[in-house]
């Protein structure tokens, strides 16, 4: 049994990967092998085209590169998605061009300098970051209200008389098309880890707002 003390609120509302290991996945390794075979000029043109089309997500005009690189449709789609992922990750982790170059080099991408130089380009990267931020804000659910209950779980073992503190969260979330509630519980250790991650996210958001 548990005795529960209830408090409510109506406030509106993981540890980041090591930057050198951001792109070290098996899938990206395959993509980097493909990228390594592409002419620098053609790769730069493809990347710039992807960033320009990022807002609309319509990359059909870039299909000429599929034929140029002799790629299957699936492999070309994977190439585009991977390039988008690289720049979204660079944005999320606030990577400078130098740090992006280092991270890609660590992942055995031999075209890292091209990605870094384009990231450094004010016209292209600023337009991309603007669109990426707007996309993130518009596409995902918003948090409208937070409620919580605090409780104590008593151990079934009367000899130990152990008491575990916990918090039961109720998040009121919604989007343009739907609304709902998300409920979950956390003990003290989980709460501590959760708020550590929130602080890291807040620091990243602060850096993004200054960019």
């Amino acid at each position: 049994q548990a005795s529960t003390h209830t408090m409510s609120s109506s406030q509106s509302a993981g540890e980041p990967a090591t930057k050198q290991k951001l792109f070290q996945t098996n899938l990206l390794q395959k993509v980097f092998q493909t990228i390594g075979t592409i002419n620098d000029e053609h790769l730069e043109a493809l990347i710039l085209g992807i960033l320009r089309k990022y807002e609309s997500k319509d990359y059909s005009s870039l299909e000429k590169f599929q034929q140029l690189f002799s790629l299957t449709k699936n492999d070309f789609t994977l190439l585009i998605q991977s390039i988008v992922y690289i720049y979204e990750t660079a944005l999320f982790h606030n990577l400078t061009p130098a740090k992006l170059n280092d991270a890609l080099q660590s992942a055995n991408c031999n075209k890292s300098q091209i990605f870094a130089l384009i990231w450094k380009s004010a016209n292209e990267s600023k337009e991309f970051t603007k669109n990426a931020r707007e996309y993130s804000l518009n596409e995902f659910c918003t948090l409208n209200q937070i409620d919580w209950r605090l409780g104590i779980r008593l151990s079934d073992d009367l000899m130990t008389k152990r008491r575990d503190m916990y918090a039961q969260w109720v998040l009121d979330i919604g989007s343009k098309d739907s609304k709902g509630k998300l409920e979950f519980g956390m003990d003290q250790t989980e709460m501590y880890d959760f708020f550590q991650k929130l602080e890291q996210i807040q620091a990243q958001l602060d850096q993004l707002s200054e960019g």
Side-chain angles (χ1 to χ4, degrees):
Q1 294 181 346
S3 59
T4 303
H5 305 279
T6 302
M7 294 191 298
S8 63
S9 167
S10 56
Q11 300 175 357
S12 296
E15 185 173 331
T18 302
K19 291 180 175 56
Q20 286 73 19
K21 298 182 180 180
L22 286 174
F23 307 112
Q24 293 184 7
T25 67
N26 292 333
L27 192 59
L28 281 177
Q29 290 302 305
K30 175 184 176 182
V31 173
F32 290 152
Q33 289 177 3
T34 300
I35 288 175
T37 66
I38 298 175
N39 173 279
D40 288 359
E41 183 179 348
H42 292 158
L43 178 61
E44 181 178 350
L46 174 63
I47 294 174
L48 291 174
I50 290 172
L51 294 184
R52 293 189 187 103
K53 297 294 183 179
Y54 180 83
E55 182 177 12
S56 67
K57 302 293 188 297
D58 180 8
Y59 303 113
S60 57
S61 63
L62 303 177
E63 290 177 356
K64 59 184 179 181
F65 289 102
Q66 177 187 341
Q67 299 177 354
L68 183 63
F69 303 154
S70 300
L71 296 175
T72 65
K73 184 174 182 179
N74 287 341
D75 285 345
F76 185 64
T77 299
L78 178 60
L79 176 61
I80 291 177
Q81 291 174 342
S82 298
I83 291 173
V84 169
Y85 172 77
I86 287 170
Y87 285 112
E88 286 179 336
T89 301
L91 174 63
F92 180 78
H93 289 280
N94 306 301
L95 298 185
T96 63
K99 289 186 181 298
L100 176 60
N101 182 60
D102 290 344
L104 289 171
Q105 279 187 341
S106 298
N108 300 315
C109 176
N110 62 3
K111 304 286 186 176
S112 59
Q113 289 187 345
I114 294 176
F115 284 93
L117 286 173
I118 293 176
W119 191 233
K120 188 177 181 179
S121 171
N123 291 333
E124 296 298 335
S125 64
K126 285 187 177 179
E127 183 67 17
F128 169 77
T129 55
K130 172 179 176 290
N131 291 333
R133 290 170 184 168
E134 290 179 353
Y135 173 75
S136 297
L137 290 173
N138 292 335
E139 289 295 317
F140 297 106
C141 292
T142 57
L143 178 60
N144 301 319
Q145 183 172 308
I146 303 175
D147 293 322
W148 69 83
R149 297 188 300 274
L150 302 181
I152 303 174
R153 292 191 184 94
L154 301 179
S155 171
D156 292 334
D157 188 348
L158 298 179
M159 298 296 294
T160 60
K161 296 183 180 180
R162 179 180 173 181
R163 299 191 306 172
D164 294 323
M165 308 297 296
Y166 74 95
Q168 186 73 24
W169 293 86
V170 182
L171 308 184
D172 185 356
I173 57 178
S175 65
K176 293 184 296 183
D177 301 321
S178 63
K179 293 182 179 180
K181 293 184 182 295
L182 176 64
E183 299 189 28
F184 58 95
M186 290 184 177
D187 61 24
Q188 287 178 295
T189 300
E190 292 168 335
M191 287 280 291
Y192 178 79
D193 291 341
F194 177 63
F195 282 107
Q196 288 285 95
K197 290 180 173 62
L198 286 180
E199 289 181 355
Q200 292 167 358
I201 293 171
Q202 182 62 58
Q204 291 172 346
L205 288 174
D206 290 342
Q207 290 179 337
L208 280 175
S209 64
E210 295 170 1

